[in-house]
Amino acid sequence: MLYKEKVNHKLPGGAGYSAHQDAPAYPMIDVHVSAMIAVDDADASNGGLEVVSACFDRVLPVDERGCIAPAIADALQWDPVALRAGQTLWFHSRTPHRSGPNHSQHPRRAIYPTYNAASEGDLRSEYYDAKAQAFAASAPGDRARVSLIGDFEGRAADR
């Protein structure tokens, strides 16, 4: 079942995401899989994804933002995943991942659908309702809020 989806549009100079696992951000489901569908080429220069392979058996210790504790993240083997436009990377809810800022002159866009097992039910509406409630109840911070955990390193854009 489609649990959630997002479009990640990382403009030149756009911020990255701290080391995290998705499982803590999706409390309504036990296990899920996500895909990164590259709309543009993605690599280290434009904030492409980095993952820790063969590490999905548990949720790692987290910091106050819900991201992987820095001492744990520093000890992991991070591998960049370069994708060409149109390629897809599938990853588990407990796969550690992160991405750096976009240092290139080109946008890095990607689509991220997330799926849960049909046996857990169609929880998409409930997820977005819970997310809206959590955002409404939270105090503004120095970073833009895009998730139930504080993994996004960017600031809110001026309007």
Side-chain angles (χ1 to χ4, degrees):
M1 306 292 298
L2 179 64
Y3 183 68
K4 67 170 287 287
E5 68 284 332
K6 78 172 181 175
V7 175
N8 185 315
H9 191 166
K10 197 179 285 190
L11 295 171
Y17 288 78
S18 300
H20 68 282
Q21 295 168 292
D22 287 342
Y26 308 145
M28 295 177 186
I29 53 177
D30 183 40
V31 175
H32 71 272
V33 294
S34 292
M36 176 190 170
I37 305 166
V39 175
D40 302 304
D41 292 348
D43 59 31
S45 72
N46 64 4
L49 214 58
E50 297 177 30
V51 301
V52 178
S53 297
C55 181
F56 50 84
D57 61 331
R58 68 192 182 287
V59 174
L60 299 171
V62 297
D63 63 13
E64 66 283 348
R65 296 182 298 135
C67 297
I68 298 172
I72 302 294
D74 290 346
L76 297 172
Q77 168 75 36
W78 294 95
D79 297 312
V81 179
L83 296 175
R84 306 291 298 168
Q87 290 184 315
T88 300
L89 170 71
W90 288 93
F91 56 100
H92 192 278
S93 60
R94 294 185 297 266
T95 299
H97 58 286
R98 66 184 182 188
S99 68
N102 184 348
H103 293 296
S104 78
Q105 296 301 311
H106 307 283
R108 201 271 291 160
R109 298 170 294 173
I111 301 167
Y112 287 87
T114 297
Y115 299 91
N116 64 278
S119 62
E120 292 186 270
D122 182 354
L123 300 169
R124 187 173 176 277
S125 292
E126 288 87 347
Y127 166 76
Y128 282 109
D129 288 345
K131 185 175 179 179
Q133 290 175 12
F135 281 21
S138 65
D142 65 336
R143 294 183 184 189
R145 186 110 191 253
V146 299
S147 174
L148 292 176
I149 61 173
D151 57 329
F152 183 56
E153 296 176 359
R155 308 290 183 249
D158 293 332
R159 294 181 183 201

